[in-house]
């Protein structure tokens, strides 16, 4: 009989070794699973901080009278960081930059042409920065020099600038994610306005009449909807809302996202309502309230935590979605408040700039990733807090 | 004559119920509209190309040849590889969280981390893949070429099937892990205790009692994560190298260097320039993709349902 209890010491030791091996393997794989998460988050922050415009001030001098090709820049030691917005290199000149007197300092905004000089700064990772000075003649670049300057002291990151400037053209540094952030907020808003009422009512229906044929059909439909690939939903939104109306719009993107939100809202609302004690409804009926009144004044307020969880979870789901937006809201390089026009979005921005050939664009994509991951994290944590309050799993 | 209060209530109740029903019909109709509009736009391709779409392995729009087989293969290959890679990890997590320790701070921490993994947007996965995985895979490919003395003309730039499968496997871990974990916690304690009392080690109890009991739930989790892998678009698009040729077959070692496209990535890449029959063919592919993930997801949910009925 092979199922006899086997107390042979050698075999027992073997089985114990196997058990230990197995336990080790389980711990090993469990830790492996979360290593990518740490790698991803640390990479995002490490690379993305560069995009948030460290600003600094330094003294610099130009040698005067040189032709543009011999433009030289002398940087004083003792460069230090300041927290001023847009304060950058100090170069003072009379008119044309390269005839400046030495030991004069003024400030030039990075990337903006001032007189005949344009300055670009790219911070390196190790506390140094590469400064590129362009000498211009009627907006043609006639000369350029790169300088490496080191920066000591504290770095002030300009989060407010990053969040209020729109996206820069590819290959340019500076700029920010303002248009994408507003776009994401608008898309979330449009999607929520459509999906939340529909989903809550759907969950209400399922909680009441979930066992009927109609209820099963709705449940199946929501299952199918949740498993649909997001790009297919994007194609649908394109067919229904972009093609007939002749253009990309934030509205079509929001509608696509709302379709993805609905199954989650329906399912979570139904679960919440089912968890409410039946005595609540009965008590309301006993006092003579009709069904609709019970729903509005008793059931929904009691279920509000679950509904908030549903909203947070579903928004977290769509905040990072790109595929539905590729053919609907399409992205927009400028700030836009118009729902009938294309609009940018954070994940869409990341997709465009991450696949760009310019390192400056990739840095911006990392910065945008910081914002996106923080947003998703905030939604995740708050949904967890809210759902704990009602004891949901 | 004014209505009595009861009459008012009944009227409003009837209205509300009709409203709820109408809303539910709306939800159903959404699904119908999705299906109908897919078929409608794909119709020219369906009628002109027909079932050979699935078997034709050449994609050449300039010569009016549309074959989706390379992309179907790419989709299946990446998803299957991703599933195989992620399986030991998911099971390990499920066993760890379900069996080893279900309370305590460390397991709850791991649990939270896994849920966060599921929440990371796919573009970020793709971006990180480009930045972190691609150089690693490239080094690996170069190492393989050098140590096995392979043809030096093989493309070894780190993109392709291998990288996409790796990223996919990370992305789908949470789905199978959470379903499997739930089933594992539902194994009755007396079954396990019976095993322990007879002198079984924990490994033996898990192997012979817990896992067989949780088998259907684990299968459901596998199906769910497979469905997720099938439909993933952004991360795969960024990493798969965008080739229209047939990828190397299952477990062909050349897959290490294989490029390809999945249905989703092809749609994402081709759509901006598609028109006419090409656009129709893309929608045909979307229909196929929709069908495949539909089948897998519904199968997964059915298994879960059967499981819940068995337990209750």
């Amino acid at each position: 009989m092979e199922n006899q209890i086997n107390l042979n010491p050698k075999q027992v030791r073997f089985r114990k070794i196997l058990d230990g091996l197995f336990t080790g393997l389980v711990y090993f794989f469990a830790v492996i699973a979360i290593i990518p998460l740490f790698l991803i988050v640390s990479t995002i922050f490490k690379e993305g901080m560069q995009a948030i415009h460290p600003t600094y001030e330094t003294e610099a001098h130009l040698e005067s009278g040189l032709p543009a090709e011999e433009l030289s820049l002398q940087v004083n030691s003792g460069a230090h960081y300041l927290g001023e917005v847009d304060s950058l290199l100090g170069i003072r000149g009379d008119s044309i930059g390269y005839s400046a007197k030495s030991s004069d300092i003024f400030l030039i905004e990075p990337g903006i042409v001032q007189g005949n000089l344009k300055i670009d700064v790219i911070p390196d990772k190790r506390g140094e920065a590469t400064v590129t000075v362009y000498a211009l003649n009627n907006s043609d670049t006639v000369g350029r020099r790169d300088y490496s300057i080191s920066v000591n002291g504290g770095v002030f990151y300009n989060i407010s600038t990053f969040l209020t400037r729109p996206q820069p053209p590819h290959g340019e540094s500076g700029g920010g994610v303002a248009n994408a952030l507003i776009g994401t907020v608008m898309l979330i808003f449009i999607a929520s306005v459509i999906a939340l009422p529909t989903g809550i009512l759907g969950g209400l229906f399922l909680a009441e009449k979930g066992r009927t044929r109609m209820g099963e059909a709705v449940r199946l439909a929501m299952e199918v909807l949740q498993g649909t690939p997001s790009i297919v939903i994007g194609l649908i939104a394109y067919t229904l809302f972009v093609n007939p109306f002749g253009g990309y719009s934030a509205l079509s993107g929001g509608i696509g996202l709302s379709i993805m939100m609905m199954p989650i809202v329906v399912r979570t609302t139904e679960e919440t309502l089912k968890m409410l004690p039946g005595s609540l409804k009965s008590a309301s009926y006993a006092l003579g309230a009709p069904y609709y009144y019970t729903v509005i004044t008793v059931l929904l307020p009691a279920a509000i935590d679950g509904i908030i969880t549903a909203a947070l979870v579903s928004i977290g789901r769509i905040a990072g979605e790109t595929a539905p937006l590729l053919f609907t809201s399409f992205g927009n390089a400028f700030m836009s408040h118009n729902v009938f026009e294309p609009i940018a979005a954070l994940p869409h921005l990341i997709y465009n700039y991450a696949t760009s050939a310019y390192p400056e664009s990739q840095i911006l994509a990392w910065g945008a990733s910081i914002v996106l991951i923080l947003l998703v994290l905030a939604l995740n944590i708050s949904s967890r807090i809210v759902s704990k309050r009602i004891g949901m799993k | 004559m004014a209505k009595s209060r009861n009459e008012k209530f009944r009227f409003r109740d009837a209205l509300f119920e009709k409203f709820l029903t109408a809303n539910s019909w709306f939800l159903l109709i959404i699904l119908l509209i999705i299906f109908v509009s897919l078929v409608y736009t794909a119709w020219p391709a369906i009628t002109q190309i027909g079932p050979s779409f699935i078997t034709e392995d050449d994609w050449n729009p300039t010569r009016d040849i549309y074959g989706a087989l390379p992309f179907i293969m790419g989709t299946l290959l990446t998803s299957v590889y991703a599933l195989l890679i992620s399986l030991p990890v998911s099971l390990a997590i499920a066993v760890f969280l379900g069996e080893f320790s279900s309370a305590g701070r460390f397991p709850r921490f791991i649990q939270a981390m896994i849920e966060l993994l599921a929440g990371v947007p796919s573009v970020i996965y793709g971006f990180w893949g480009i930045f972190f995985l691609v150089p690693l895979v490239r080094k690996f490919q170069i190492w393989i070429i050098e140590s096995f003395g392979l043809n030096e003309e093989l493309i070894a730039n780190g993109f392709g099937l291998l990288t996409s499968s790796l990223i996919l496997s990370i992305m789908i871990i949470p789905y199978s892990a959470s379903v499997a974990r739930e089933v594992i916690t539902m194994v009755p304690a007396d079954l396990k205790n019976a095993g322990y009392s007879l002198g079984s080690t924990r490994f033996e109890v898990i192997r012979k009692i817990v896992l067989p009991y949780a088998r259907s739930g684990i299968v459901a989790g596998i199906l769910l994560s497979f469905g997720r892998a099938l439909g993933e678009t952004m991360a795969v698009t960024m990493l798969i190298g965008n080739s229209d040729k047939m990828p190397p077959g299952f477990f062909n070692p050349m897959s290490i260097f294989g490029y390809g496209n999945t249905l989703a990535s092809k749609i994402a890449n081709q759509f901006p320039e598609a028109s006419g029959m090409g656009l129709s063919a893309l929608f045909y592919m979307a229909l196929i993709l929709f069908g495949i993930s539909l089948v897998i997801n519904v199968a997964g949910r059915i298994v879960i349902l059967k499981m819940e009925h068995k337990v209750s």
Side-chain angles (χ1 to χ4, degrees):
Chain A
M1 287 203 318
E2 58 183 36
N3 288 333
Q4 258 178 337
I5 301 178
N6 200 331
L7 294 176
N8 177 340
K10 257 214 203 117
Q11 293 204 341
V12 167
R13 199 173 335 139
F14 175 66
R15 286 162 56 210
K16 279 205 183 132
I17 294 178
L18 231 72
D19 187 52
L21 234 84
F22 174 70
T23 310
L25 221 63
V26 166
Y27 275 96
F28 174 68
F29 277 123
V31 168
I32 275 195
I34 61 174
I35 285 182
L37 185 66
F38 287 110
L39 285 175
I40 292 176
V41 173
S42 59
T43 311
I44 291 178
F45 278 94
K46 194 169 76 135
E47 301 294 323
M49 286 314 254
Q50 287 181 45
I52 312 191
H53 309 305
T55 63
Y56 49 88
E57 181 187 82
T58 174
E59 295 176 13
H61 309 273
L62 277 183
E63 287 183 25
S64 51
L66 294 172
E69 298 73 38
E70 291 180 24
L71 193 64
S72 75
L73 189 67
Q74 222 180 334
V75 178
N76 258 1
S77 60
H80 57 276
Y81 279 147
L82 260 201
E84 265 181 36
V85 182
D86 300 333
S87 74
L88 213 282
L89 261 217
I91 300 179
R92 181 181 283 182
D94 280 316
S95 47
I96 311 202
Y98 48 81
S99 62
K101 294 189 281 251
S102 53
S103 83
D104 287 328
I105 302 175
F106 70 80
L107 306 174
I108 296 188
E109 271 195 44
I112 303 216
V113 177
Q114 231 167 302
N116 282 45
L117 274 187
K118 189 169 94 125
I119 291 185
D120 233 355
V121 181
I122 307 208
D124 291 331
K125 301 170 200 185
R126 291 151 297 133
E128 292 187 358
T130 303
V131 176
T132 308
V133 180
Y134 303 88
L136 307 167
N137 185 11
N138 292 331
S139 68
D140 288 326
T141 304
V142 296
R144 105 176 228 179
R145 283 291 292 266
D146 288 327
Y147 302 89
S148 185
I149 68 175
S150 62
V151 280
N152 315 313
V155 182
F156 291 83
Y157 289 104
N158 248 311
I159 300 181
S160 56
T161 323
F162 190 64
L163 294 177
T164 49
R165 279 200 190 146
Q167 68 191 62
H170 279 270
E172 283 195 19
S173 58
V177 296
N179 60 333
L181 196 56
I182 293 188
T184 294
V185 168
M186 275 186 67
L187 287 169
I188 291 179
F189 182 71
I190 298 174
S192 305
V193 160
I194 302 176
L196 284 181
T198 323
I200 294 175
L201 289 175
L204 199 57
F205 179 81
L206 283 185
E208 273 302 305
K209 304 210 169 123
R211 303 267 173 79
T212 63
R213 260 195 336 209
M214 182 75 169
E216 294 293 342
V218 171
R219 205 169 280 136
L220 185 64
M222 291 299 109
E223 299 282 359
V224 169
L225 218 47
Q226 186 158 31
T228 315
S230 47
I231 194 154
V232 173
I233 295 190
L235 284 182
I236 304 295
Y238 173 82
T239 315
L240 293 174
F241 298 104
V242 174
N243 228 357
F245 296 99
Y248 301 108
S249 60
L251 198 57
S252 58
I255 294 179
L257 291 180
S258 73
I259 298 182
M260 297 185 65
M261 272 179 78
M262 277 184 215
I264 305 180
V265 179
V266 167
R267 183 155 42 102
T268 316
T269 313
E270 182 199 354
E271 280 180 19
T272 317
L273 286 170
K274 278 197 177 147
M275 271 183 8
L276 290 179
S279 45
L280 237 57
K281 221 166 44 157
S282 309
S284 175
Y285 287 161
L287 291 172
Y291 175 61
Y292 78 91
Y293 193 75
T294 309
V295 165
I296 301 176
T297 55
V298 176
L299 291 180
L300 285 186
I304 194 73
D305 280 340
I307 294 177
I308 294 181
T309 310
L312 290 172
V313 169
S314 54
I315 290 179
R317 170 99 177 80
I318 62 164
E321 277 295 332
T322 322
L325 303 177
L326 288 176
F327 325 124
T328 51
S329 60
F330 199 62
N332 190 336
F334 305 103
M335 309 274 274
S336 166
H337 301 282
N338 192 346
V339 298
F340 297 108
E341 296 244 321
I343 203 169
L346 272 177
H348 202 11
L349 181 75
I350 297 175
Y351 176 59
N352 275 329
Y353 279 63
T355 48
S356 153
Y358 298 99
E360 293 89 352
S361 300
Q362 289 175 4
I363 291 178
L364 185 79
W366 284 119
S369 303
I370 291 185
V371 180
L372 184 58
I373 200 93
L374 285 178
L375 179 66
V376 168
L377 202 68
L379 288 167
N380 196 308
I381 293 182
S382 24
S383 75
R384 205 191 298 263
I385 293 179
V386 173
S387 74
K388 263 209 182 71
R389 277 179 40 164
I390 55 177
M392 271 177 93
K393 241 197 305 193
Chain B
M1 196 171 69
K3 280 192 186 157
S4 77
R5 216 176 63 151
N6 247 1
E7 281 174 357
K8 262 197 286 201
F9 281 173
R10 280 207 213 119
F11 174 68
R12 290 178 192 171
D13 258 352
L15 204 62
F16 190 69
E17 305 236 350
K18 287 217 175 68
F19 185 45
L20 276 189
T21 318
N23 183 69
S24 307
W25 275 110
F26 177 57
L27 292 177
L28 290 182
I29 288 178
I30 290 181
L31 196 62
L32 198 65
I33 292 183
I34 288 182
F35 186 66
V36 163
S37 44
L38 274 182
V39 172
Y40 176 71
T41 320
W43 194 246
I46 299 179
T47 44
Q48 276 202 23
I49 312 177
S52 71
F53 196 55
I54 305 182
T55 49
E56 171 69 54
D57 65 359
D58 191 19
W59 176 272
N60 202 335
T62 50
R63 285 197 297 181
D64 247 359
I65 303 178
Y66 295 100
L69 190 60
F71 315 124
I72 299 180
M73 282 304 292
T75 310
L76 291 177
L77 281 171
T78 48
S79 306
V80 168
Y81 292 154
L83 198 59
L84 291 176
I85 300 175
S86 71
L87 204 54
V89 181
S90 300
L91 278 184
I93 293 181
V95 166
F96 177 73
L97 291 176
E99 261 300 304
F100 281 29
S101 33
S102 31
R105 289 176 60 194
F106 185 58
R108 275 213 306 261
F109 172 71
I110 300 265
Q111 168 93 334
M113 292 295 108
I114 298 294
E115 284 179 24
L116 257 129
L117 260 187
V120 172
S122 46
V123 271
I124 294 189
Y125 272 118
F127 194 17
W128 179 77
I130 297 180
F131 186 79
F132 188 86
L133 270 189
V134 163
L136 281 182
V137 172
R138 185 186 313 150
K139 285 202 191 107
F140 176 65
Q141 288 173 332
I142 294 180
W143 177 78
I144 296 253
I145 291 184
E146 284 171 1
S147 23
F148 290 89
L150 298 176
N151 181 4
E152 296 246 329
E153 285 188 5
L154 276 176
I155 307 176
N157 67 357
F159 290 92
L161 289 177
L162 181 59
T163 323
S164 318
S165 308
L166 284 176
I167 271 287
L168 266 185
S169 68
I170 302 177
M171 293 172 79
I172 64 175
I173 288 175
Y175 296 87
S176 44
S178 64
V179 173
R181 180 192 60 83
E182 288 217 18
V183 211
I184 288 181
T185 52
M186 289 200 305
V187 174
D190 21 342
L191 282 183
K192 294 187 288 191
N193 288 334
Y196 286 130
S197 68
L198 289 175
S200 300
T201 61
R202 186 155 63 179
F203 172 44
E204 287 161 355
V205 165
I206 292 179
R207 191 166 70 118
K208 299 203 172 131
I209 300 179
V210 174
L211 287 185
Y213 191 92
R215 197 172 33 209
S216 51
I218 296 177
V219 167
I222 291 177
L223 284 175
L224 232 55
S225 52
F226 190 59
R228 173 88 179 85
L230 289 174
E232 172 50 42
T233 314
M234 297 321 296
V236 173
T237 309
M238 293 161 95
L239 292 174
I240 199 162
N242 199 8
S243 147
D244 291 342
K245 299 210 193 75
M246 278 293 285
F250 272 102
F251 305 116
N252 181 344
M254 276 300 120
S255 300
I256 300 180
F257 301 95
Y259 274 27
N261 252 328
T262 62
L263 288 168
S265 72
K266 184 62 182 168
I267 296 176
N269 275 322
Q270 192 80 30
F271 188 82
E273 307 146 4
S275 63
M277 184 54 80
L279 188 66
S280 208
L282 285 187
F283 272 77
Y284 195 177
M285 287 204 297
L287 206 58
I288 297 176
L289 183 62
F290 181 58
I292 300 179
S293 17
L294 185 69
V295 166
I296 300 282
N297 272 298
V298 170
R301 299 283 178 178
I302 289 183
V303 175
I304 293 186
L305 241 78
K306 276 213 195 126
M307 196 177 66
E308 280 172 359
H309 280 213
K310 181 169 81 168
V311 170
S312 63

